[in-house]
């Protein structure tokens, strides 16, 4: 029995134009109308995820920043797990001078230093909520503010420097953080025990829906544990091979309405 459907955004629910197709919108609305609980499970911030809920016009849980913050369908915060300021500062100090792209995410704000000015760092370009700063030192100053709360720290590089970035990321494995890979050269760090799966487990405890009744969709490294840990893990056909290997179902790509394909099978009782 499937009582809960959760989906990643980029590379999963969103097509290559960063939009939710009408096919996916119709399938999600139909599932919610049938009483299935819905969630978006993303590395994105609140404002970004809320924009997609506005497009869907359905209630649901928001699993934000890889599970660091969770809101229930009534917009009540049920989990809040920032990274300790001292840990953020240690991470930032350790990469100062390397020239990597570095991002720190608050609940609804993103600060970026991007020496290569690549745009790859941003989800939606530079806006009032996506602020480009000049250096890692400025990021450290932002983190040091009393009112600053950081939930996620991200590092990325150009293709020719990926090996150097990976070597630096390996030095963080002894620190109190969870490391996930969400792109070929993009790494995201959260507080310990802060993943999409752990966020869903907290939702399971609150909602009383068994995790075995959860179906979740994803495509990349920060979705791997989620797909492996829920009752029905669904990998997109465009997913990385490691994600496909742990999935129970492989659906079409994000440009083929892969999420809708499987939800419609659930609604037609072809998947139980």
């Amino acid at each position: 029995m499937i009582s809960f459907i959760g989906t990643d955004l980029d590379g999963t629910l969103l097509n290559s134009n960063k939009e939710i197709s009408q096919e996916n919108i119709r399938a999600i609305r139909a599932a919610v109308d049938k009483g299935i609980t819905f969630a978006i499970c993303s590395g994105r911030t609140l404002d970004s995820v809320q924009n997609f809920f506005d497009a869907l016009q359905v209630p649901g849980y928001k699993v934000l920043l890889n599970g660091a913050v969770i809101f229930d369908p009534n917009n009540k915060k049920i989990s809040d797990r920032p990274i300790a300021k001292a840990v953020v500062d240690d991470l930032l100090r350790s990469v100062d001078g390397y020239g990597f792209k570095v991002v720190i995410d608050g609940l609804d704000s993103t600060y970026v230093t991007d020496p290569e000015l690549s745009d790859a760092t941003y989800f939606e370009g530079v806006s009032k909520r996506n602020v480009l700063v000049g250096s890692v030192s400025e990021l450290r100053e932002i983190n040091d503010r009393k009112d600053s709360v950081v939930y996620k720290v991200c590092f990325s590089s150009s293709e020719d420097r990926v090996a150097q970035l990976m070597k630096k990321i390996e030095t963080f494995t002894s620190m109190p953080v969870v490391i996930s890979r969400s792109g070929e050269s993009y790494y995201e760090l959260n507080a310990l025990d802060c993943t999409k799966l752990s966020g869903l487990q907290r939702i399971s405890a609150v909602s009383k829906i068994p995790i075995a009744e959860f179906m979740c969709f994803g495509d990349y490294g920060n979705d791997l544990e989620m797909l492996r840990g829920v009752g029905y893990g669904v990998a997109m056909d465009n997913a990385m091979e490691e994600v496909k290997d742990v999935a129970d179902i492989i659906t079409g790509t994000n440009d083929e309405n892969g999420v809708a394909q499987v939800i419609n099978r659930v609604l037609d009782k072809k998947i139980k």
Side-chain angles (χ1 to χ4, degrees), residues 57-97:
Q57 291 291 295
V58 298
Y61 286 89
K62 302 177 186 74
V63 180
L64 310 171
L65 300 154
N66 292 332
V69 183
I70 303 170
F71 287 88
D72 72 9
N74 297 314
N75 289 318
K76 176 184 176 183
K77 189 187 289 186
I78 61 174
S79 186
D80 189 284
R81 299 191 174 198
I83 308 175
K85 283 184 176 293
V87 175
V88 174
D89 193 64
D90 285 346
L91 291 168
L92 296 177
R93 272 193 305 107
S94 72
V95 299
D96 201 0

Side-chain angles (χ1 to χ4, degrees), residues 12-126:
T12 303
L13 183 62
L14 304 185
N15 60 27
S16 295
N17 294 322
K18 302 296 183 184
E19 297 170 341
I20 307 177
S21 69
Q22 287 303 309
E23 290 85 347
N24 282 341
I25 289 173
R26 282 194 292 268
I28 290 167
R29 288 177 179 173
V32 172
D33 286 346
K34 290 290 186 181
I36 295 174
T37 302
F38 177 70
I40 289 177
C41 310
S42 176
R44 293 186 183 223
T45 57
L46 175 60
D47 182 65
S48 179
V49 170
Q50 184 59 54
N51 287 337
F52 294 111
F53 267 103
D54 292 343
L56 288 165
Q57 291 291 295
V58 298
Y61 286 89
K62 302 177 186 74
V63 180
L64 310 171
L65 300 154
N66 292 332
V69 183
I70 303 170
F71 287 88
D72 72 9
N74 297 314
N75 289 318
K76 176 184 176 183
K77 189 187 289 186
I78 61 174
S79 186
D80 189 284
R81 299 191 174 198
I83 308 175
K85 283 184 176 293
V87 175
V88 174
D89 193 64
D90 285 346
L91 291 168
L92 296 177
R93 272 193 305 107
S94 72
V95 299
D96 201 0
Y98 278 77
F100 298 139
K101 290 171 280 189
V102 185
V103 182
I104 59 173
D105 282 321
L107 177 60
D108 227 358
S109 58
T110 297
Y111 296 93
V112 183
T113 179
D114 185 357
E116 298 174 328
L117 297 176
S118 68
D119 277 351
T121 309
Y122 317 113
F123 287 127
E124 295 165 336
V126 179

Side-chain angles (χ1 to χ4, degrees), residues 10-261:
D10 296 280
T12 303
L13 183 62
L14 304 185
N15 60 27
S16 295
N17 294 322
K18 302 296 183 184
E19 297 170 341
I20 307 177
S21 69
Q22 287 303 309
E23 290 85 347
N24 282 341
I25 289 173
R26 282 194 292 268
I28 290 167
R29 288 177 179 173
V32 172
D33 286 346
K34 290 290 186 181
I36 295 174
T37 302
F38 177 70
I40 289 177
C41 310
S42 176
R44 293 186 183 223
T45 57
L46 175 60
D47 182 65
S48 179
V49 170
Q50 184 59 54
N51 287 337
F52 294 111
F53 267 103
D54 292 343
L56 288 165
Q57 291 291 295
V58 298
Y61 286 89
K62 302 177 186 74
V63 180
L64 310 171
L65 300 154
N66 292 332
V69 183
I70 303 170
F71 287 88
D72 72 9
N74 297 314
N75 289 318
K76 176 184 176 183
K77 189 187 289 186
I78 61 174
S79 186
D80 189 284
R81 299 191 174 198
I83 308 175
K85 283 184 176 293
V87 175
V88 174
D89 193 64
D90 285 346
L91 291 168
L92 296 177
R93 272 193 305 107
S94 72
V95 299
D96 201 0
Y98 278 77
F100 298 139
K101 290 171 280 189
V102 185
V103 182
I104 59 173
D105 282 321
L107 177 60
D108 227 358
S109 58
T110 297
Y111 296 93
V112 183
T113 179
D114 185 357
E116 298 174 328
L117 297 176
S118 68
D119 277 351
T121 309
Y122 317 113
F123 287 127
E124 295 165 336
V126 179
S127 74
K128 64 181 180 179
R129 298 182 187 273
N130 293 274
V131 181
L132 186 67
V133 303
S135 67
V136 172
S137 295
E138 288 185 59
L139 293 180
R140 292 181 65 197
E141 291 172 5
I142 292 167
N143 174 58
D144 197 45
R145 295 174 188 167
K146 285 186 178 181
D147 63 346
S148 180
V149 181
V150 175
Y151 293 98
K152 189 176 68 168
V153 182
C154 308
F155 303 98
S156 56
S157 71
S158 55
E159 290 184 11
D160 61 322
R161 300 188 63 207
V162 172
Q164 185 182 16
L165 175 63
M166 292 176 65
K167 188 173 182 180
K168 173 54 68 175
I169 294 296
E170 287 174 3
T171 68
F172 301 149
T173 56
S174 61
M175 297 180 68
V177 292
V178 174
I179 303 168
S180 59
R181 191 173 185 177
S182 58
E184 286 295 325
S185 61
Y186 203 85
Y187 291 85
E188 302 182 335
L189 281 67
N190 290 91
L192 281 180
D193 192 31
C194 187
T195 65
K196 292 183 181 183
L197 178 61
S198 66
L200 292 172
Q201 289 169 334
R202 288 190 280 279
I203 290 174
S204 176
V206 169
S207 67
K208 308 302 182 186
I209 301 173
I211 202 78
E213 296 180 11
F214 281 46
M215 169 180 276
C216 291
F217 296 78
D219 73 306
Y220 223 87
N222 59 341
D223 302 315
L224 194 151
E225 185 183 39
M226 175 175 72
L227 267 58
R228 183 165 47 201
V230 298
Y232 303 80
V234 184
M236 311 303 291
D237 198 36
N238 53 282
M240 62 190 300
E241 289 303 316
E242 293 92 330
V243 173
K244 290 182 179 180
D245 287 344
V246 304
D248 301 293
I249 300 168
I250 298 175
T251 187
T253 71
N254 62 316
D255 286 324
E256 297 170 337
N257 312 307
V259 171
Q261 289 179 25

